[in-house]
Amino acid sequence: MMARVPGPRNIATALLFSLAAVSVVSAQDLLSPAGRSDRPQGAEDAPVTLIEYSSPTCGHCVVYHNDVAPRVHTEYVKTGKVRLIYRPFVRNAIDAAIFMLAESRTGDEYNVVLDAYYRRYNDIAGASNVRALLEEIAETVGINGVEFERVLSDRNGLEPIQQLTGQAVNEFGVRGTPTFFINSKMHVGGLTFETVSAAIDTELMQ
């Protein structure tokens, strides 16, 4: 179904869902992304930086993205307390296609594309023709059929997100999605708002 989409190596086969902070990575290393520059949201001088590695084909990621992330954005990002950095984590060819489409956009349109696919997780998971559904969703965010084919045919569009994923695995110890770094402390799994809020508040009190 996705034969014409470049198929990245699946480098995240073991999904871990512990809510505990399990490791600390150098802040300097974490803020030096491979492949491409970050697309941060929030105040540059926010006291807390939250880095999220996520996949639109991961059910735990989808719940966080759709239900928890908007509250975090309202209560922490918009108030200047948190600087949010979303980083794509490629688990399969569908992820690769969605991320390539998002990466073709700038500014807020990047998040508009991602949001459209996260909202359609159940439809994508149950689709008999995934590629056709991805193209249909792309049309809803202004990516027509010609551009859809062009973006997914461009191998150069895949390389940066593969590098980001490879760095996450090889340098930061990320083994599954979602994985968060809150001021360099790693948290793995589908965090509730209460859990992520408590972790952020702990950092704010430091």
Side-chain angles (χ1 to χ4, degrees):
M1 290 181 288
M2 297 291 294
R4 289 185 291 164
V5 177
R9 183 182 178 187
N10 186 349
I11 59 176
T13 56
L15 298 181
L16 307 176
F17 295 107
S18 166
L19 296 183
V22 296
S23 116
V24 178
V25 180
S26 160
Q28 181 176 354
D29 291 341
L30 275 172
L31 294 176
S32 302
R36 60 118 165 111
S37 299
D38 282 323
R39 299 170 178 262
Q41 300 178 61
E44 187 173 350
D45 61 351
V48 175
T49 297
L50 191 161
I51 298 174
E52 173 191 356
Y53 285 95
S54 183
S55 154
T57 61
C58 156
H60 292 272
C61 299
V62 170
V63 171
Y64 179 86
H65 188 93
N66 292 339
D67 300 336
V68 180
R71 291 187 64 186
V72 172
H73 198 274
T74 297
E75 298 190 24
Y76 290 101
V77 178
K78 286 186 176 180
T79 56
K81 298 174 182 176
V82 167
R83 187 174 189 233
L84 174 64
I85 297 173
Y86 173 98
R87 287 182 184 162
F89 191 94
V90 181
R91 300 167 62 242
N92 52 56
I94 298 173
D95 283 342
I98 292 171
F99 288 138
M100 289 170 74
L101 292 166
E103 292 288 331
S104 73
R105 292 310 194 241
T106 59
D108 290 340
E109 290 185 0
Y110 174 82
N111 295 312
V112 169
V113 173
L114 286 179
D115 290 347
Y117 286 102
Y118 274 90
R119 286 195 301 268
R120 298 291 296 276
Y121 166 79
N122 289 329
D123 294 334
I124 293 169
S128 59
N129 187 337
V130 176
R131 188 182 182 91
L133 180 57
L134 296 185
E135 184 172 358
E136 174 190 318
I137 297 169
E139 291 275 1
T140 70
V141 291
I143 300 174
N144 63 30
V146 173
E147 186 176 9
F148 180 87
E149 294 294 338
R150 178 184 61 76
V151 170
L152 296 192
S153 298
D154 183 7
R155 183 75 187 183
N156 292 329
L158 178 61
E159 183 65 23
I161 54 179
Q162 283 186 314
Q163 289 185 35
L164 277 173
T165 302
Q167 180 188 44
V169 172
N170 297 321
E171 297 181 26
F172 305 152
V174 176
R175 293 294 179 267
T177 54
T179 293
F180 307 86
F181 289 91
I182 301 175
N183 274 3
S184 306
K185 297 182 178 68
M186 180 191 282
H187 299 257
V188 183
L191 305 184
T192 64
F193 175 77
E194 290 73 22
T195 302
V196 71
S197 177
I200 291 171
D201 289 345
T202 296
E203 295 302 317
L204 290 172
M205 291 186 290
Q206 298 298 318

